[in-house]
């Protein structure tokens, strides 16, 4: 660990330093916004016209930003990957085909590892988009499209560590990814397909049909059932409710644990003699099997209920689920 400073900074000094960094980087982003112009549109057209993938490359801190830009592009509908320029010069250049476009990042525009790749890329016919901070640099001049990510100053007080410049470059990459996403008509469903393992994928890909109980597992009784029959059915199926259906299997009503508790407080109701049609809810909240599971969670929250019946277009009961099913599926 580094030795303690001779003059430890006060908390106010730390906060002032942090605010200064944010202010400098905010100004850098505002200046960058004014340079999103024809060159930016040209870069979008190059990528949209690309038959292969976008190959992102950069050295050092620019390489870290290039990796993130490649990941963002890939997850938003633009196939992309990162190639280390040093490794490219030792064989990994074979990963780049003549159908690919190259996005090269170098703030100075003079990174040797990137410049040495240019003759090969030119011979192969790869369109080159460059992000640099110097419009007169070698990389900027050699590129088909140059995106100016220059900043007035770095947030580092030594003016050495890339800070504001990497933030500006990252923002330019995000701007490209989002502009391309919108141009492609990329949807939430498309996004979910590239994120199947995460919470977002579950929310956007999982449908009611994937989590509902079906067939004999659906709690349901006929309209002429007694309250005693209903309680037995609810106990067997353990979903905290039962559907009440007519002779053709169409939904006539619903009876829940909550209804039972309220009924037991009413001394006028005879458990053995009362028919379910007398006390059921006739217009329960239902959902379609093709709906997203997250929509079931929203309905439960909105209506303060813990279970739902699933019906088809003719109001026949085809499934049932409760909040525990959604919890097991990690939708909520």
């Amino acid at each position: 660990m580094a030795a303690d400073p001779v003059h430890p900074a006060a908390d106010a000094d730390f906060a002032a330093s942090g605010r200064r960094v944010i202010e400098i980087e905010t100004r850098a982003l505002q200046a960058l916004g004014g340079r999103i112009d024809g060159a930016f549109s040209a870069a979008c057209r190059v990528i949209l016209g690309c038959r292969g993938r976008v190959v992102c490359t950069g050295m050092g801190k620019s390489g870290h930003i290039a990796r993130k830009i490649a990941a963002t592009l890939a997850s938003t509908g633009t196939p992309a990957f990162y190639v280390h320029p040093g490794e490219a010069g030792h064989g990994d250049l074979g990963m780049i085909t003549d159908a690919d476009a190259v996005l090269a990042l170098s703030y100075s525009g003079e990174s040797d590892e990137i410049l040495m790749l240019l003759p090969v890329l030119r011979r192969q016919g790869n369109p080159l988009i460059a992000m640099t901070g110097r419009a007169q640099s070698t990389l900027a001049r050699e590129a088909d499209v140059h995106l100016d990510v220059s900043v007035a100053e770095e947030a580092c007080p030594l003016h050495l560590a890339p800070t504001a410049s990497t933030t500006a470059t990252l923002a330019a990459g995000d701007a490209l990814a989002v502009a391309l996403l919108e141009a492609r008509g990329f949807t939430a469903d498309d996004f979910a397909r590239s994120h199947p393992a995460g919470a977002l994928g579950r929310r956007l890909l999982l449908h009611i049909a994937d989590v509902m109980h079906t067939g004999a597992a659906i709690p349901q009784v006929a309209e002429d059932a007694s309250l005693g029959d209903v309680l037995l059915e609810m106990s067997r199926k353990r979903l905290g409710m039962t559907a009440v259906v007519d002779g053709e299997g169409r939904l006539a009503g619903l009876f829940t644990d909550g209804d039972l508790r309220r009924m037991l407080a009413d001394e006028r109701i005879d458990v053995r003699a009362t028919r379910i049609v007398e006390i059921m809810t006739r217009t329960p909240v239902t959902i379609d099997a093709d709906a997203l599971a997250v929509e079931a969670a929203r309905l439960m929250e909105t209506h303060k209920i813990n279970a739902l019946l699933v019906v088809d277009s003719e109001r026949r009961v085809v499934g049932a689920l409760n909040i525990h099913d959604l919890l097991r599926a990690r939708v909520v």
Side-chain angles (χ1 to χ4, degrees):
M1 296 179 62
D4 291 335
V6 177
H7 301 292
D11 285 352
D13 296 329
F14 289 129
S17 179
R19 284 193 296 270
R20 181 184 61 81
V21 170
I22 299 302
E23 290 167 359
I24 290 173
E25 298 201 357
T26 297
R27 289 196 294 271
L29 292 177
Q30 290 172 338
L32 174 66
R35 298 196 297 272
I36 302 298
D37 52 17
F40 179 85
S41 299
C44 291
R45 287 195 295 272
V46 167
I47 295 174
L48 284 173
C50 174
R51 296 178 292 108
R53 298 152 300 174
V54 177
V55 181
C56 301
T57 189
M59 279 296 297
K61 302 299 186 295
S62 292
H64 296 311
I65 300 301
R67 287 180 187 274
K68 196 277 180 184
I69 291 174
T72 301
L73 288 169
S75 69
T76 54
T78 299
F81 66 99
Y82 171 79
V83 169
H84 190 289
E87 297 295 336
H90 293 275
D92 281 3
L93 197 58
M95 299 167 67
I96 306 175
T97 73
D98 59 6
D100 299 330
V102 176
L103 175 61
L105 280 58
S106 169
Y107 191 74
S108 69
E110 301 295 345
S111 297
D112 291 337
E113 295 85 352
I114 293 179
L115 296 184
M116 69 179 293
L117 304 179
L118 298 186
V120 179
L121 297 176
R122 281 296 177 218
R123 284 198 300 272
Q124 194 163 260
N126 299 105
L128 175 63
I129 302 168
M131 289 187 185
T132 83
R134 295 176 54 209
Q136 299 307 313
S137 65
T138 303
L139 181 59
R141 293 197 309 270
E142 291 293 322
D144 296 292
V145 180
H146 174 242
L147 300 180
D148 181 1
V149 293
S150 61
V151 297
E153 59 179 324
E154 296 285 9
C156 169
L158 303 177
H159 304 291
L160 296 175
T163 45
S165 59
T166 48
T167 298
T169 305
L170 179 60
D174 287 344
L176 274 177
V178 173
L180 293 165
L181 175 155
E182 293 176 344
R184 296 182 192 279
F186 196 76
T187 67
D189 284 344
D190 295 325
F191 192 90
R193 278 192 284 273
S194 62
H195 296 76
L200 180 63
R202 287 191 297 274
R203 290 175 63 87
L204 294 176
L205 290 178
L206 201 65
H207 290 79
I208 297 296
D210 299 319
V211 297
M212 70 184 188
H213 300 266
T214 60
I218 302 173
Q220 55 185 332
V221 297
E223 291 178 290
D224 61 354
S226 68
L227 185 52
D229 295 331
V230 169
L231 298 183
L232 287 174
E233 179 71 354
M234 291 172 65
S235 297
R236 284 194 296 263
K237 305 300 174 62
R238 303 176 64 180
L239 289 182
M241 64 163 178
T242 185
V244 182
V245 298
D246 64 18
E248 297 181 354
R250 292 188 176 88
L251 181 64
L254 173 73
F255 190 78
T256 69
D257 283 343
D259 295 327
L260 175 61
R261 288 191 294 272
R262 287 184 290 273
M263 181 212 67
L264 292 176
D266 190 339
E267 297 178 352
R268 298 170 299 175
I269 296 178
D270 183 337
V271 173
R272 294 183 181 277
T274 302
R275 296 295 172 182
I276 191 60
V277 291
E278 301 174 36
I279 54 176
M280 68 184 184
T281 299
R282 294 185 176 276
T283 56
V285 178
T286 62
I287 197 165
D288 185 90
D290 292 331
L292 291 173
V294 70
E295 175 64 13
R298 188 191 67 78
L299 283 174
M300 289 181 189
E301 181 179 4
T302 299
H303 296 279
K304 303 295 188 294
I305 56 178
N306 294 317
L308 281 171
L309 292 172
V310 186
V311 298
D312 63 16
S313 59
E314 297 182 0
R315 298 287 291 175
R316 282 190 290 264
V317 178
V318 296
L321 73 157
N322 63 16
I323 189 65
H324 299 293
D325 297 312
L326 299 179
L327 288 169
R328 280 191 292 271
R330 298 169 66 189
V331 175
V332 294

